[in-house]
Amino acid sequence: MLKRNRDLYIWIGLSIPIIFWTTYGVLSSLRPEYSFKTKAISELGSVDAPHLWFWNVFGYILPGILISIYSYGLHREITGNRGNKWPLISFIFSGLFMSLSGVFPADMDNRQSFSSLLHSVGSFGCYIFFLIGAFTYPRQMKMNPYWKTAIKPSLIFTWLTILAGSWYVIFPSMPGVGQRIVFFFYLFWFFYTALKIYYQKTTHQTIS
């Protein structure tokens, strides 16, 4: 991959969680009644939220688009743009579905509304396609000596999102914490792989 393109993908991958969590921190701090323990993240952009489009654009739509773009660069780094395209396609769709959940804000008072249903489709689609991509990439990582070392950490992050999904069952009084853990490791997956691309560049361990 050309150096200029590689640098672009690195910065995109690193910026995804930064944009998301910075937006989250700013907007949640503006709402004293908003509790990370009990409130869903989507409530920052629900139809009655005071800054709904600020959250939906910078919390969901933009990060989702960046994930889709970054997925292409990641695929080229790991596979040399060869082999099975399922991981690439899965992460592209994960990003697009994340953006979809921002285009259609949730209505917390009417979960059956058109907007709420499409918001849910976006949320579930984002996560399902992430799991497909995260569980199919290790096979391709095994074929690249440099990326072999990323298999275990990336799978750990993926399994932690699954385990955190059951948080509300164990701690029903603070379900919001589990959702934030899921988001943290979902976004950290991209941050981590962007760091791997960066160190690959600096050590000159690239594939043709």
PDB file of all heavy atoms in Angstrom, residues 71 74-89 91 133-148 151 207:
ATOM      1  N   SER A  71     -11.994  -0.158   6.745  1.00  0.00           N
ATOM      2  CA  SER A  71     -12.039  -1.595   6.481  1.00  0.00           C
ATOM      3  C   SER A  71     -11.284  -1.961   5.212  1.00  0.00           C
ATOM      4  O   SER A  71     -10.639  -3.016   5.141  1.00  0.00           O
ATOM      5  CB  SER A  71     -13.490  -2.063   6.366  1.00  0.00           C
ATOM      6  OG  SER A  71     -14.195  -1.816   7.564  1.00  0.00           O
ATOM      7  N   LEU A  74      -7.515  -1.812   5.967  1.00  0.00           N
ATOM      8  CA  LEU A  74      -7.132  -2.934   6.819  1.00  0.00           C
ATOM      9  C   LEU A  74      -7.026  -4.218   6.000  1.00  0.00           C
ATOM     10  O   LEU A  74      -6.084  -5.008   6.167  1.00  0.00           O
ATOM     11  CB  LEU A  74      -8.147  -3.102   7.945  1.00  0.00           C
ATOM     12  CG  LEU A  74      -7.908  -4.274   8.898  1.00  0.00           C
ATOM     13  CD1 LEU A  74      -6.609  -4.092   9.669  1.00  0.00           C
ATOM     14  CD2 LEU A  74      -9.081  -4.427   9.869  1.00  0.00           C
ATOM     15  N   HIS A  75      -7.986  -4.430   5.123  1.00  0.00           N
ATOM     16  CA  HIS A  75      -7.979  -5.629   4.287  1.00  0.00           C
ATOM     17  C   HIS A  75      -6.737  -5.683   3.405  1.00  0.00           C
ATOM     18  O   HIS A  75      -6.112  -6.748   3.250  1.00  0.00           O
ATOM     19  CB  HIS A  75      -9.241  -5.662   3.427  1.00  0.00           C
ATOM     20  CG  HIS A  75      -9.347  -6.885   2.560  1.00  0.00           C
ATOM     21  ND1 HIS A  75      -9.668  -8.121   3.064  1.00  0.00           N
ATOM     22  CD2 HIS A  75      -9.161  -7.050   1.222  1.00  0.00           C
ATOM     23  CE1 HIS A  75      -9.688  -9.008   2.088  1.00  0.00           C
ATOM     24  NE2 HIS A  75      -9.384  -8.385   0.956  1.00  0.00           N
ATOM     25  N   ARG A  76      -6.353  -4.569   2.849  1.00  0.00           N
ATOM     26  CA  ARG A  76      -5.160  -4.524   2.003  1.00  0.00           C
ATOM     27  C   ARG A  76      -3.905  -4.816   2.806  1.00  0.00           C
ATOM     28  O   ARG A  76      -2.991  -5.490   2.329  1.00  0.00           O
ATOM     29  CB  ARG A  76      -5.048  -3.161   1.330  1.00  0.00           C
ATOM     30  CG  ARG A  76      -6.095  -2.906   0.264  1.00  0.00           C
ATOM     31  CD  ARG A  76      -5.824  -1.636  -0.505  1.00  0.00           C
ATOM     32  NE  ARG A  76      -4.550  -1.700  -1.220  1.00  0.00           N
ATOM     33  CZ  ARG A  76      -4.082  -0.711  -1.974  1.00  0.00           C
ATOM     34  NH1 ARG A  76      -4.762   0.421  -2.079  1.00  0.00           N
ATOM     35  NH2 ARG A  76      -2.943  -0.835  -2.599  1.00  0.00           N
ATOM     36  N   GLU A  77      -3.858  -4.324   4.034  1.00  0.00           N
ATOM     37  CA  GLU A  77      -2.674  -4.564   4.857  1.00  0.00           C
ATOM     38  C   GLU A  77      -2.538  -6.038   5.238  1.00  0.00           C
ATOM     39  O   GLU A  77      -1.436  -6.592   5.249  1.00  0.00           O
ATOM     40  CB  GLU A  77      -2.742  -3.715   6.130  1.00  0.00           C
ATOM     41  CG  GLU A  77      -2.536  -2.225   5.919  1.00  0.00           C
ATOM     42  CD  GLU A  77      -1.096  -1.901   5.514  1.00  0.00           C
ATOM     43  OE1 GLU A  77      -0.187  -2.701   5.818  1.00  0.00           O
ATOM     44  OE2 GLU A  77      -0.879  -0.856   4.885  1.00  0.00           O
ATOM     45  N   ILE A  78      -3.646  -6.664   5.584  1.00  0.00           N
ATOM     46  CA  ILE A  78      -3.598  -8.047   6.058  1.00  0.00           C
ATOM     47  C   ILE A  78      -3.447  -9.037   4.913  1.00  0.00           C
ATOM     48  O   ILE A  78      -2.677  -9.996   5.005  1.00  0.00           O
ATOM     49  CB  ILE A  78      -4.871  -8.377   6.874  1.00  0.00           C
ATOM     50  CG1 ILE A  78      -4.910  -7.538   8.158  1.00  0.00           C
ATOM     51  CG2 ILE A  78      -4.915  -9.866   7.218  1.00  0.00           C
ATOM     52  CD1 ILE A  78      -6.181  -7.722   8.986  1.00  0.00           C
ATOM     53  N   THR A  79      -4.152  -8.815   3.825  1.00  0.00           N
ATOM     54  CA  THR A  79      -4.209  -9.821   2.751  1.00  0.00           C
ATOM     55  C   THR A  79      -3.511  -9.409   1.462  1.00  0.00           C
ATOM     56  O   THR A  79      -3.391 -10.232   0.555  1.00  0.00           O
ATOM     57  CB  THR A  79      -5.674 -10.138   2.407  1.00  0.00           C
ATOM     58  OG1 THR A  79      -6.265  -9.002   1.737  1.00  0.00           O
ATOM     59  CG2 THR A  79      -6.480 -10.454   3.654  1.00  0.00           C
ATOM     60  N   GLY A  80      -3.066  -8.153   1.370  1.00  0.00           N
ATOM     61  CA  GLY A  80      -2.535  -7.701   0.091  1.00  0.00           C
ATOM     62  C   GLY A  80      -3.610  -7.606  -0.961  1.00  0.00           C
ATOM     63  O   GLY A  80      -3.350  -7.706  -2.158  1.00  0.00           O
ATOM     64  N   ASN A  81      -4.845  -7.419  -0.501  1.00  0.00           N
ATOM     65  CA  ASN A  81      -6.025  -7.317  -1.377  1.00  0.00           C
ATOM     66  C   ASN A  81      -6.288  -8.624  -2.122  1.00  0.00           C
ATOM     67  O   ASN A  81      -6.813  -8.630  -3.235  1.00  0.00           O
ATOM     68  CB  ASN A  81      -5.879  -6.172  -2.381  1.00  0.00           C
ATOM     69  CG  ASN A  81      -7.202  -5.503  -2.662  1.00  0.00           C
ATOM     70  OD1 ASN A  81      -8.126  -5.561  -1.866  1.00  0.00           O
ATOM     71  ND2 ASN A  81      -7.306  -4.864  -3.821  1.00  0.00           N
ATOM     72  N   ARG A  82      -5.898  -9.728  -1.469  1.00  0.00           N
ATOM     73  CA  ARG A  82      -6.153 -11.046  -2.051  1.00  0.00           C
ATOM     74  C   ARG A  82      -7.010 -11.858  -1.083  1.00  0.00           C
ATOM     75  O   ARG A  82      -7.206 -11.484   0.054  1.00  0.00           O
ATOM     76  CB  ARG A  82      -4.830 -11.779  -2.313  1.00  0.00           C
ATOM     77  CG  ARG A  82      -3.907 -11.086  -3.307  1.00  0.00           C
ATOM     78  CD  ARG A  82      -2.706 -11.976  -3.608  1.00  0.00           C
ATOM     79  NE  ARG A  82      -1.886 -12.145  -2.416  1.00  0.00           N
ATOM     80  CZ  ARG A  82      -0.865 -11.354  -2.100  1.00  0.00           C
ATOM     81  NH1 ARG A  82      -0.566 -10.327  -2.876  1.00  0.00           N
ATOM     82  NH2 ARG A  82      -0.150 -11.593  -1.010  1.00  0.00           N
ATOM     83  N   GLY A  83      -7.496 -12.991  -1.557  1.00  0.00           N
ATOM     84  CA  GLY A  83      -8.193 -13.912  -0.687  1.00  0.00           C
ATOM     85  C   GLY A  83      -9.654 -13.542  -0.468  1.00  0.00           C
ATOM     86  O   GLY A  83     -10.230 -12.685  -1.141  1.00  0.00           O
ATOM     87  N   ASN A  84     -10.231 -14.209   0.533  1.00  0.00           N
ATOM     88  CA  ASN A  84     -11.647 -14.070   0.847  1.00  0.00           C
ATOM     89  C   ASN A  84     -11.986 -12.633   1.234  1.00  0.00           C
ATOM     90  O   ASN A  84     -11.286 -12.006   2.023  1.00  0.00           O
ATOM     91  CB  ASN A  84     -11.996 -15.024   1.996  1.00  0.00           C
ATOM     92  CG  ASN A  84     -13.488 -15.190   2.162  1.00  0.00           C
ATOM     93  OD1 ASN A  84     -14.213 -14.227   2.336  1.00  0.00           O
ATOM     94  ND2 ASN A  84     -13.944 -16.437   2.112  1.00  0.00           N
ATOM     95  N   LYS A  85     -13.091 -12.140   0.688  1.00  0.00           N
ATOM     96  CA  LYS A  85     -13.491 -10.753   0.946  1.00  0.00           C
ATOM     97  C   LYS A  85     -14.529 -10.638   2.070  1.00  0.00           C
ATOM     98  O   LYS A  85     -14.989  -9.544   2.373  1.00  0.00           O
ATOM     99  CB  LYS A  85     -14.070 -10.126  -0.328  1.00  0.00           C
ATOM    100  CG  LYS A  85     -13.080  -9.978  -1.475  1.00  0.00           C
ATOM    101  CD  LYS A  85     -12.024  -8.939  -1.167  1.00  0.00           C
ATOM    102  CE  LYS A  85     -11.239  -8.538  -2.424  1.00  0.00           C
ATOM    103  NZ  LYS A  85     -10.471  -9.642  -3.032  1.00  0.00           N
ATOM    104  N   TRP A  86     -14.896 -11.768   2.688  1.00  0.00           N
ATOM    105  CA  TRP A  86     -15.934 -11.719   3.714  1.00  0.00           C
ATOM    106  C   TRP A  86     -15.592 -10.780   4.874  1.00  0.00           C
ATOM    107  O   TRP A  86     -16.461  -9.999   5.311  1.00  0.00           O
ATOM    108  CB  TRP A  86     -16.238 -13.121   4.232  1.00  0.00           C
ATOM    109  CG  TRP A  86     -17.394 -13.759   3.525  1.00  0.00           C
ATOM    110  CD1 TRP A  86     -17.359 -14.836   2.699  1.00  0.00           C
ATOM    111  CD2 TRP A  86     -18.763 -13.327   3.554  1.00  0.00           C
ATOM    112  NE1 TRP A  86     -18.615 -15.114   2.199  1.00  0.00           N
ATOM    113  CE2 TRP A  86     -19.498 -14.202   2.715  1.00  0.00           C
ATOM    114  CE3 TRP A  86     -19.438 -12.289   4.187  1.00  0.00           C
ATOM    115  CZ2 TRP A  86     -20.868 -14.072   2.518  1.00  0.00           C
ATOM    116  CZ3 TRP A  86     -20.809 -12.162   3.987  1.00  0.00           C
ATOM    117  CH2 TRP A  86     -21.500 -13.049   3.161  1.00  0.00           C
ATOM    118  N   PRO A  87     -14.378 -10.808   5.418  1.00  0.00           N
ATOM    119  CA  PRO A  87     -14.075  -9.869   6.508  1.00  0.00           C
ATOM    120  C   PRO A  87     -14.220  -8.410   6.064  1.00  0.00           C
ATOM    121  O   PRO A  87     -14.771  -7.582   6.794  1.00  0.00           O
ATOM    122  CB  PRO A  87     -12.622 -10.196   6.871  1.00  0.00           C
ATOM    123  CG  PRO A  87     -12.437 -11.608   6.421  1.00  0.00           C
ATOM    124  CD  PRO A  87     -13.260 -11.735   5.181  1.00  0.00           C
ATOM    125  N   LEU A  88     -13.720  -8.104   4.875  1.00  0.00           N
ATOM    126  CA  LEU A  88     -13.840  -6.742   4.342  1.00  0.00           C
ATOM    127  C   LEU A  88     -15.296  -6.339   4.201  1.00  0.00           C
ATOM    128  O   LEU A  88     -15.712  -5.269   4.692  1.00  0.00           O
ATOM    129  CB  LEU A  88     -13.148  -6.670   2.980  1.00  0.00           C
ATOM    130  CG  LEU A  88     -13.427  -5.419   2.134  1.00  0.00           C
ATOM    131  CD1 LEU A  88     -12.916  -4.173   2.835  1.00  0.00           C
ATOM    132  CD2 LEU A  88     -12.804  -5.562   0.748  1.00  0.00           C
ATOM    133  N   ILE A  89     -16.102  -7.178   3.554  1.00  0.00           N
ATOM    134  CA  ILE A  89     -17.514  -6.872   3.338  1.00  0.00           C
ATOM    135  C   ILE A  89     -18.241  -6.720   4.679  1.00  0.00           C
ATOM    136  O   ILE A  89     -19.065  -5.819   4.858  1.00  0.00           O
ATOM    137  CB  ILE A  89     -18.173  -7.963   2.485  1.00  0.00           C
ATOM    138  CG1 ILE A  89     -17.567  -7.966   1.070  1.00  0.00           C
ATOM    139  CG2 ILE A  89     -19.687  -7.763   2.408  1.00  0.00           C
ATOM    140  CD1 ILE A  89     -17.973  -9.163   0.226  1.00  0.00           C
ATOM    141  N   PHE A  91     -17.086  -5.794   7.655  1.00  0.00           N
ATOM    142  CA  PHE A  91     -16.778  -4.557   8.366  1.00  0.00           C
ATOM    143  C   PHE A  91     -17.333  -3.332   7.642  1.00  0.00           C
ATOM    144  O   PHE A  91     -17.704  -2.346   8.280  1.00  0.00           O
ATOM    145  CB  PHE A  91     -15.272  -4.417   8.583  1.00  0.00           C
ATOM    146  CG  PHE A  91     -14.757  -5.246   9.716  1.00  0.00           C
ATOM    147  CD1 PHE A  91     -13.699  -6.108   9.541  1.00  0.00           C
ATOM    148  CD2 PHE A  91     -15.348  -5.162  10.971  1.00  0.00           C
ATOM    149  CE1 PHE A  91     -13.230  -6.878  10.593  1.00  0.00           C
ATOM    150  CE2 PHE A  91     -14.888  -5.923  12.024  1.00  0.00           C
ATOM    151  CZ  PHE A  91     -13.825  -6.791  11.842  1.00  0.00           C
ATOM    152  N   GLY A 133     -16.987 -10.348  10.741  1.00  0.00           N
ATOM    153  CA  GLY A 133     -15.657  -9.910  10.323  1.00  0.00           C
ATOM    154  C   GLY A 133     -14.575 -10.273  11.324  1.00  0.00           C
ATOM    155  O   GLY A 133     -13.497 -10.762  10.960  1.00  0.00           O
ATOM    156  N   ALA A 134     -14.861 -10.064  12.609  1.00  0.00           N
ATOM    157  CA  ALA A 134     -13.858 -10.312  13.649  1.00  0.00           C
ATOM    158  C   ALA A 134     -13.526 -11.789  13.797  1.00  0.00           C
ATOM    159  O   ALA A 134     -12.397 -12.148  14.148  1.00  0.00           O
ATOM    160  CB  ALA A 134     -14.362  -9.754  14.981  1.00  0.00           C
ATOM    161  N   PHE A 135     -14.491 -12.674  13.522  1.00  0.00           N
ATOM    162  CA  PHE A 135     -14.244 -14.109  13.654  1.00  0.00           C
ATOM    163  C   PHE A 135     -13.713 -14.753  12.370  1.00  0.00           C
ATOM    164  O   PHE A 135     -13.239 -15.897  12.400  1.00  0.00           O
ATOM    165  CB  PHE A 135     -15.511 -14.828  14.110  1.00  0.00           C
ATOM    166  CG  PHE A 135     -15.787 -14.695  15.579  1.00  0.00           C
ATOM    167  CD1 PHE A 135     -17.007 -14.226  16.032  1.00  0.00           C
ATOM    168  CD2 PHE A 135     -14.814 -15.024  16.510  1.00  0.00           C
ATOM    169  CE1 PHE A 135     -17.264 -14.102  17.398  1.00  0.00           C
ATOM    170  CE2 PHE A 135     -15.051 -14.895  17.879  1.00  0.00           C
ATOM    171  CZ  PHE A 135     -16.280 -14.442  18.325  1.00  0.00           C
ATOM    172  N   THR A 136     -13.798 -14.043  11.241  1.00  0.00           N
ATOM    173  CA  THR A 136     -13.272 -14.605   9.993  1.00  0.00           C
ATOM    174  C   THR A 136     -11.879 -14.069   9.646  1.00  0.00           C
ATOM    175  O   THR A 136     -11.162 -14.703   8.873  1.00  0.00           O
ATOM    176  CB  THR A 136     -14.225 -14.323   8.813  1.00  0.00           C
ATOM    177  OG1 THR A 136     -14.498 -12.913   8.739  1.00  0.00           O
ATOM    178  CG2 THR A 136     -15.534 -15.080   8.979  1.00  0.00           C
ATOM    179  N   TYR A 137     -11.486 -12.940  10.230  1.00  0.00           N
ATOM    180  CA  TYR A 137     -10.160 -12.385   9.929  1.00  0.00           C
ATOM    181  C   TYR A 137      -9.000 -13.242  10.434  1.00  0.00           C
ATOM    182  O   TYR A 137      -7.944 -13.306   9.780  1.00  0.00           O
ATOM    183  CB  TYR A 137     -10.017 -10.966  10.482  1.00  0.00           C
ATOM    184  CG  TYR A 137      -9.968  -9.919   9.400  1.00  0.00           C
ATOM    185  CD1 TYR A 137     -10.646  -8.717   9.522  1.00  0.00           C
ATOM    186  CD2 TYR A 137      -9.232 -10.120   8.220  1.00  0.00           C
ATOM    187  CE1 TYR A 137     -10.624  -7.758   8.521  1.00  0.00           C
ATOM    188  CE2 TYR A 137      -9.203  -9.167   7.213  1.00  0.00           C
ATOM    189  CZ  TYR A 137      -9.908  -7.990   7.375  1.00  0.00           C
ATOM    190  OH  TYR A 137      -9.873  -7.057   6.374  1.00  0.00           O
ATOM    191  N   PRO A 138      -9.101 -13.908  11.597  1.00  0.00           N
ATOM    192  CA  PRO A 138      -7.957 -14.701  12.068  1.00  0.00           C
ATOM    193  C   PRO A 138      -7.412 -15.694  11.054  1.00  0.00           C
ATOM    194  O   PRO A 138      -6.198 -15.913  10.988  1.00  0.00           O
ATOM    195  CB  PRO A 138      -8.521 -15.408  13.303  1.00  0.00           C
ATOM    196  CG  PRO A 138      -9.520 -14.447  13.838  1.00  0.00           C
ATOM    197  CD  PRO A 138     -10.164 -13.857  12.619  1.00  0.00           C
ATOM    198  N   ARG A 139      -8.279 -16.296  10.246  1.00  0.00           N
ATOM    199  CA  ARG A 139      -7.799 -17.235   9.226  1.00  0.00           C
ATOM    200  C   ARG A 139      -6.868 -16.542   8.249  1.00  0.00           C
ATOM    201  O   ARG A 139      -5.861 -17.121   7.807  1.00  0.00           O
ATOM    202  CB  ARG A 139      -8.993 -17.845   8.493  1.00  0.00           C
ATOM    203  CG  ARG A 139      -8.602 -18.814   7.388  1.00  0.00           C
ATOM    204  CD  ARG A 139      -9.811 -19.468   6.748  1.00  0.00           C
ATOM    205  NE  ARG A 139     -10.534 -20.297   7.704  1.00  0.00           N
ATOM    206  CZ  ARG A 139     -11.604 -21.008   7.379  1.00  0.00           C
ATOM    207  NH1 ARG A 139     -12.090 -20.963   6.144  1.00  0.00           N
ATOM    208  NH2 ARG A 139     -12.209 -21.746   8.300  1.00  0.00           N
ATOM    209  N   GLN A 140      -7.189 -15.293   7.887  1.00  0.00           N
ATOM    210  CA  GLN A 140      -6.321 -14.558   6.974  1.00  0.00           C
ATOM    211  C   GLN A 140      -5.091 -14.007   7.694  1.00  0.00           C
ATOM    212  O   GLN A 140      -4.017 -13.912   7.114  1.00  0.00           O
ATOM    213  CB  GLN A 140      -7.120 -13.436   6.308  1.00  0.00           C
ATOM    214  CG  GLN A 140      -8.240 -13.965   5.420  1.00  0.00           C
ATOM    215  CD  GLN A 140      -8.971 -12.861   4.681  1.00  0.00           C
ATOM    216  OE1 GLN A 140      -8.963 -11.712   5.097  1.00  0.00           O
ATOM    217  NE2 GLN A 140      -9.630 -13.211   3.584  1.00  0.00           N
ATOM    218  N   MET A 141      -5.261 -13.653   8.961  1.00  0.00           N
ATOM    219  CA  MET A 141      -4.108 -13.179   9.735  1.00  0.00           C
ATOM    220  C   MET A 141      -3.047 -14.254   9.883  1.00  0.00           C
ATOM    221  O   MET A 141      -1.847 -13.959   9.936  1.00  0.00           O
ATOM    222  CB  MET A 141      -4.572 -12.698  11.114  1.00  0.00           C
ATOM    223  CG  MET A 141      -5.377 -11.416  11.114  1.00  0.00           C
ATOM    224  SD  MET A 141      -5.968 -10.985  12.779  1.00  0.00           S
ATOM    225  CE  MET A 141      -6.732  -9.385  12.482  1.00  0.00           C
ATOM    226  N   LYS A 142      -3.462 -15.518   9.949  1.00  0.00           N
ATOM    227  CA  LYS A 142      -2.512 -16.624  10.082  1.00  0.00           C
ATOM    228  C   LYS A 142      -1.572 -16.708   8.893  1.00  0.00           C
ATOM    229  O   LYS A 142      -0.455 -17.221   9.001  1.00  0.00           O
ATOM    230  CB  LYS A 142      -3.269 -17.948  10.211  1.00  0.00           C
ATOM    231  CG  LYS A 142      -3.940 -18.171  11.543  1.00  0.00           C
ATOM    232  CD  LYS A 142      -4.664 -19.522  11.553  1.00  0.00           C
ATOM    233  CE  LYS A 142      -5.396 -19.730  12.867  1.00  0.00           C
ATOM    234  NZ  LYS A 142      -6.165 -21.021  12.879  1.00  0.00           N
ATOM    235  N   MET A 143      -2.018 -16.223   7.738  1.00  0.00           N
ATOM    236  CA  MET A 143      -1.216 -16.313   6.526  1.00  0.00           C
ATOM    237  C   MET A 143      -0.221 -15.170   6.396  1.00  0.00           C
ATOM    238  O   MET A 143       0.570 -15.143   5.453  1.00  0.00           O
ATOM    239  CB  MET A 143      -2.158 -16.341   5.313  1.00  0.00           C
ATOM    240  CG  MET A 143      -3.144 -17.504   5.344  1.00  0.00           C
ATOM    241  SD  MET A 143      -4.375 -17.422   4.013  1.00  0.00           S
ATOM    242  CE  MET A 143      -3.331 -17.629   2.577  1.00  0.00           C
ATOM    243  N   ASN A 144      -0.278 -14.231   7.330  1.00  0.00           N
ATOM    244  CA  ASN A 144       0.626 -13.086   7.314  1.00  0.00           C
ATOM    245  C   ASN A 144       1.456 -13.116   8.600  1.00  0.00           C
ATOM    246  O   ASN A 144       0.907 -12.958   9.689  1.00  0.00           O
ATOM    247  CB  ASN A 144      -0.186 -11.795   7.228  1.00  0.00           C
ATOM    248  CG  ASN A 144       0.684 -10.553   7.095  1.00  0.00           C
ATOM    249  OD1 ASN A 144       1.706 -10.430   7.753  1.00  0.00           O
ATOM    250  ND2 ASN A 144       0.258  -9.621   6.258  1.00  0.00           N
ATOM    251  N   PRO A 145       2.768 -13.336   8.513  1.00  0.00           N
ATOM    252  CA  PRO A 145       3.596 -13.467   9.722  1.00  0.00           C
ATOM    253  C   PRO A 145       3.453 -12.296  10.697  1.00  0.00           C
ATOM    254  O   PRO A 145       3.447 -12.500  11.918  1.00  0.00           O
ATOM    255  CB  PRO A 145       5.019 -13.543   9.158  1.00  0.00           C
ATOM    256  CG  PRO A 145       4.840 -14.089   7.779  1.00  0.00           C
ATOM    257  CD  PRO A 145       3.546 -13.514   7.284  1.00  0.00           C
ATOM    258  N   TYR A 146       3.336 -11.089  10.169  1.00  0.00           N
ATOM    259  CA  TYR A 146       3.221  -9.932  11.052  1.00  0.00           C
ATOM    260  C   TYR A 146       1.882  -9.914  11.775  1.00  0.00           C
ATOM    261  O   TYR A 146       1.803  -9.654  12.972  1.00  0.00           O
ATOM    262  CB  TYR A 146       3.385  -8.643  10.248  1.00  0.00           C
ATOM    263  CG  TYR A 146       3.191  -7.400  11.097  1.00  0.00           C
ATOM    264  CD1 TYR A 146       4.197  -6.955  11.940  1.00  0.00           C
ATOM    265  CD2 TYR A 146       1.994  -6.690  11.068  1.00  0.00           C
ATOM    266  CE1 TYR A 146       4.026  -5.824  12.732  1.00  0.00           C
ATOM    267  CE2 TYR A 146       1.809  -5.563  11.850  1.00  0.00           C
ATOM    268  CZ  TYR A 146       2.830  -5.137  12.671  1.00  0.00           C
ATOM    269  OH  TYR A 146       2.647  -4.024  13.460  1.00  0.00           O
ATOM    270  N   TRP A 147       0.809 -10.237  11.069  1.00  0.00           N
ATOM    271  CA  TRP A 147      -0.536 -10.138  11.647  1.00  0.00           C
ATOM    272  C   TRP A 147      -0.928 -11.337  12.496  1.00  0.00           C
ATOM    273  O   TRP A 147      -1.957 -11.319  13.165  1.00  0.00           O
ATOM    274  CB  TRP A 147      -1.561  -9.910  10.535  1.00  0.00           C
ATOM    275  CG  TRP A 147      -1.547  -8.495  10.065  1.00  0.00           C
ATOM    276  CD1 TRP A 147      -0.807  -7.977   9.038  1.00  0.00           C
ATOM    277  CD2 TRP A 147      -2.250  -7.402  10.638  1.00  0.00           C
ATOM    278  NE1 TRP A 147      -1.018  -6.633   8.936  1.00  0.00           N
ATOM    279  CE2 TRP A 147      -1.904  -6.245   9.904  1.00  0.00           C
ATOM    280  CE3 TRP A 147      -3.149  -7.279  11.699  1.00  0.00           C
ATOM    281  CZ2 TRP A 147      -2.416  -4.991  10.190  1.00  0.00           C
ATOM    282  CZ3 TRP A 147      -3.676  -6.028  11.989  1.00  0.00           C
ATOM    283  CH2 TRP A 147      -3.306  -4.904  11.252  1.00  0.00           C
ATOM    284  N   LYS A 148      -0.106 -12.379  12.508  1.00  0.00           N
ATOM    285  CA  LYS A 148      -0.378 -13.518  13.385  1.00  0.00           C
ATOM    286  C   LYS A 148      -0.478 -13.084  14.843  1.00  0.00           C
ATOM    287  O   LYS A 148      -1.275 -13.625  15.614  1.00  0.00           O
ATOM    288  CB  LYS A 148       0.727 -14.568  13.242  1.00  0.00           C
ATOM    289  CG  LYS A 148       0.475 -15.606  12.182  1.00  0.00           C
ATOM    290  CD  LYS A 148       1.560 -16.685  12.250  1.00  0.00           C
ATOM    291  CE  LYS A 148       1.290 -17.773  11.237  1.00  0.00           C
ATOM    292  NZ  LYS A 148       2.324 -18.844  11.297  1.00  0.00           N
ATOM    293  N   ILE A 151      -3.961 -11.979  16.259  1.00  0.00           N
ATOM    294  CA  ILE A 151      -5.102 -12.888  16.347  1.00  0.00           C
ATOM    295  C   ILE A 151      -5.651 -12.956  17.763  1.00  0.00           C
ATOM    296  O   ILE A 151      -6.853 -12.753  17.991  1.00  0.00           O
ATOM    297  CB  ILE A 151      -4.716 -14.295  15.848  1.00  0.00           C
ATOM    298  CG1 ILE A 151      -4.403 -14.261  14.353  1.00  0.00           C
ATOM    299  CG2 ILE A 151      -5.852 -15.276  16.129  1.00  0.00           C
ATOM    300  CD1 ILE A 151      -3.881 -15.581  13.806  1.00  0.00           C
ATOM    301  N   ILE A 207       3.592  -6.685   3.373  1.00  0.00           N
ATOM    302  CA  ILE A 207       3.437  -7.759   2.381  1.00  0.00           C
ATOM    303  C   ILE A 207       3.323  -7.138   1.013  1.00  0.00           C
ATOM    304  O   ILE A 207       2.947  -5.979   0.857  1.00  0.00           O
ATOM    305  CB  ILE A 207       2.190  -8.610   2.691  1.00  0.00           C
ATOM    306  CG1 ILE A 207       0.928  -7.737   2.683  1.00  0.00           C
ATOM    307  CG2 ILE A 207       2.319  -9.319   4.004  1.00  0.00           C
ATOM    308  CD1 ILE A 207      -0.335  -8.531   2.893  1.00  0.00           C
TER     309      ILE A 207
END
